[in-house]
Amino acid sequence: MARSVRNKDPLLGRHAVVIGGSMAGLLAARVLSDHFERVTIIERDVISTEPAPRKGVPQARHVHVLLARGLDVLGELFPGVGDELAAAGAERIDFGTDMRWQSFGTWKVCFPRGLRCSFQSRALLEAVVRRRALALDGVRLRDGLRATGLATDPSGRRITGVRVEGGLADELIPAELVVDTSGRGSRMPTWLETLGYAAPEEASVRVHVGYASRIYRRPEPAPGSWRALYMLGTEPGHRAGVISPIEGGRWMVTLIGLLKDYPPADERGFLEFARGLASDELYQAIRGAEPLTDIASHRFPSHVWRRYDRLARLPEGLAVLGDALCSINPVYGQGMTTGALSALTLDRCLHEQRRARHTRPGEELCGLTRRFQSRVAEVVEAPWRIATGEDLRFPEVEGERSRSQTLLNWYARHVHGLCGYDPEVTARFCRVQHMLAGPLALFHPRVAIAVLRRQLGLDHPHAFGA
């Protein structure tokens, strides 16, 4: 596939390196291919040519949904990729009509608004995107290598490459720009300290979430009228469950427990946990279904946001995004879409850099690092506040609370209630959830008045045809 350069300004450099070959890394490589002669993706895992879970992405064995905004961005970066996913067996779901969805005690009303998202295994999604990324001119994957540190120029102010180990020998891979998408376990804070910089402060909300997932053969006929089922926990329980259709006529079923209420990994315990959800609908759907895999478990201790945007000093030639920057509770499904929007932000910053490039050799990327980390913090802000805000409604969750957060949780509770019978409020809520609109959309006068009427006891479901 030919390079897709969107302007005629000279390229920014000869070589960029991406640390980490997961979704955020692949999308970053796609963006970088428009601005550098060569892009190398360094991946610790050995990558299979066929879709398969891998050690470096332990969460890959659990439900992954590409939100509507994420699917839009993916199609912008890789035109036609949605059709490729569908051809490979991915399911396109209308979120308003095909999803039966309960959250915080309310079954959401249907709203036929054409809000579509893609359901497939994480392994299939990565395989399709990786194939497209590696077909680009100048993009190369070097798997089985572990990044061990950064190299700088003599002044220590500019990154000049990445040190790696693995293969035949340790080596230094020169690069004018290094992008860290190595995930939650990123070593970048330690590497910066080694170079004489401060590590970023970390914002954290401790949720102690556990996941257990199993793949089943999809029953025929399927139960009910839904194609996907999503049940998010409410007080006093902290349990959730998802049935996601994936390729091959299968279901991926994920059970979720908050605050160390971890779902068991044995068959009897798995089914009993499902029976203990707020409704037994998921349990009834899977109790007679044929399991195709063992039960896989994963634990997520806390939301973490590394605030690179607040550092007084950063070396030039560095960008951090994806879970290496901000890792959010996966139950809300925002991670991949946030990574995709972060890649678009990097693209815009690189285009600005090309238009206002410095004339002195070696300064082509001057100012990029601070500009990008500031801009990407704005991208992360909304999903971080939404996800942590939902979790902080549970008093046992450890994290900083403010008076405004308490007020927002009160407001959100009423919005959830309205979604049980008001299609317009539900549609607005889902556009925010799918990152097609910002949280302020929930404060539209139409929604705010409905919340006030509900609080005053003036609202009635039958007024909306429920």
Side-chain angles (χ1 to χ4, degrees):
M1 180 181 292
R3 184 185 305 276
S4 172
V5 180
R6 303 182 206 176
N7 66 32
K8 297 181 180 180
D9 298 320
L11 295 177
L12 280 171
R14 294 182 299 276
H15 191 210
V17 169
V18 179
I19 305 173
S22 293
M23 283 296 295
L26 295 170
L27 297 178
R30 162 64 188 87
V31 163
L32 293 168
S33 71
D34 282 352
H35 304 279
F36 291 83
E37 293 176 12
R38 295 182 298 116
V39 179
T40 300
I41 305 169
I42 299 169
E43 172 51 52
R44 183 172 184 171
D45 288 338
V46 175
I47 301 298
S48 170
T49 56
E50 297 298 322
R54 53 191 178 86
K55 183 178 179 181
V57 190
Q59 70 272 27
R61 296 179 183 273
H62 307 276
V63 165
H64 279 74
V65 179
L66 191 59
L67 300 180
R69 182 66 176 119
L71 191 61
D72 289 346
V73 173
L74 200 63
E76 180 179 341
L77 294 176
F78 297 106
V81 72
D83 293 335
E84 288 185 45
L85 286 168
E91 300 273 351
R92 295 292 293 274
I93 296 293
D94 187 306
F95 203 81
T97 57
D98 297 331
M99 168 79 79
R100 181 152 168 77
W101 176 30
Q102 182 191 57
S103 61
F104 298 102
T106 301
W107 287 104
K108 303 303 188 256
V109 70
C110 288
F111 61 102
R113 297 290 182 95
L115 183 62
R116 302 186 68 83
C117 50
S118 183
F119 285 70
Q120 62 283 303
S121 68
R122 170 69 177 260
L124 175 63
L125 179 61
E126 274 197 15
V128 170
V129 174
R130 185 185 306 115
R131 183 169 60 245
R132 289 291 298 268
L134 296 182
L136 294 165
D137 286 347
V139 177
R140 178 190 182 193
L141 171 67
R142 295 190 61 186
D143 58 353
L145 291 182
R146 184 171 73 92
T148 59
L150 302 173
T152 65
D153 66 356
S155 72
R157 292 196 292 258
R158 182 164 59 88
I159 303 298
T160 58
V162 181
R163 303 184 192 280
V164 299
E165 63 180 22
L168 298 177
D170 298 353
E171 64 178 299
L172 171 64
I173 302 177
E176 289 126 303
L177 178 63
V178 173
V179 178
D180 181 14
T181 61
S182 59
R184 184 184 178 92
S186 167
R187 300 288 296 163
M188 188 59 65
T190 300
W191 295 348
L192 288 177
E193 288 183 315
T194 300
L195 297 174
Y197 293 86
E201 64 180 84
E202 290 189 355
S204 176
V205 175
R206 299 191 66 80
V207 289
H208 300 290
V209 172
Y211 297 81
S213 294
R214 194 173 207 182
I215 293 177
Y216 292 82
R217 191 181 309 282
R218 200 180 312 170
E220 293 293 346
S225 59
W226 50 265
R227 295 175 61 194
L229 182 66
Y230 179 36
M231 301 174 62
L232 191 59
T234 185
E235 304 99 323
H238 308 305
R239 296 181 173 186
V242 186
I243 295 180
S244 167
I246 63 171
E247 66 275 8
R250 300 175 295 166
W251 274 348
M252 181 174 284
V253 178
T254 294
L255 301 180
I256 305 154
L258 191 71
L259 295 167
K260 299 185 179 181
D261 179 21
Y262 302 132
D266 64 281
E267 182 164 4
R268 181 177 178 181
F270 188 85
L271 289 173
E272 284 302 310
F273 191 97
R275 194 205 296 263
L277 296 176
S279 162
D280 72 347
E281 188 154 356
L282 187 148
Y283 167 75
Q284 294 295 341
I286 67 172
R287 67 173 184 164
E290 177 188 355
L292 300 177
T293 66
D294 292 334
I295 298 168
S297 296
H298 175 63
R299 292 183 181 179
F300 178 91
S302 60
H303 303 258
V304 175
W305 184 1
R306 298 182 175 110
R307 300 306 302 259
Y308 289 95
D309 57 304
R310 294 180 177 175
L311 287 174
R313 295 172 59 243
L314 277 168
E316 298 289 357
L318 177 66
V320 184
L321 62 126
D323 281 2
L325 174 66
C326 184
S327 176
I328 301 174
N329 186 349
V331 72
Y332 303 110
Q334 298 170 310
M336 289 191 295
T337 298
T338 302
L341 292 171
S342 299
L344 278 189
T345 302
L346 178 61
D347 188 40
R348 294 189 186 103
C349 288
L350 291 169
H351 277 293
E352 291 171 7
Q353 199 77 16
R354 289 170 71 174
R355 288 193 293 268
R357 60 189 295 143
H358 293 258
T359 57
R360 292 173 57 186
E363 293 193 359
E364 289 84 358
L365 296 175
C366 183
L368 173 70
T369 298
R370 295 196 63 80
R371 184 183 311 113
F372 170 72
Q373 296 303 155
S374 177
R375 296 270 187 86
V376 77
E378 296 173 6
V379 172
V380 167
E381 182 80 23
W384 171 267
R385 288 196 177 279
I386 290 171
T388 59
E390 291 285 12
D391 284 341
L392 284 168
R393 71 173 59 246
F394 298 104
E396 305 92 334
V397 168
E398 304 170 35
E400 183 179 349
R401 289 172 172 83
S402 63
R403 185 173 298 178
S404 62
Q405 185 64 61
T406 302
L407 179 61
L408 287 172
N409 283 344
W410 168 85
Y411 188 87
R413 183 185 298 277
H414 283 292
V415 171
H416 280 294
L418 287 164
C419 288
Y421 52 87
D422 188 332
E424 184 175 341
V425 172
T426 307
R428 289 182 183 275
F429 177 83
C430 287
R431 285 186 59 80
V432 172
Q433 185 187 42
H434 281 263
M435 301 176 72
L436 294 166
L440 287 178
L442 295 179
F443 294 89
H444 184 278
R446 167 67 175 80
V447 182
I449 291 171
V451 166
L452 180 60
R453 288 178 58 84
R454 191 171 189 271
Q455 170 66 17
L456 296 175
L458 302 176
D459 202 356
H460 195 281
H462 297 294
F464 298 90

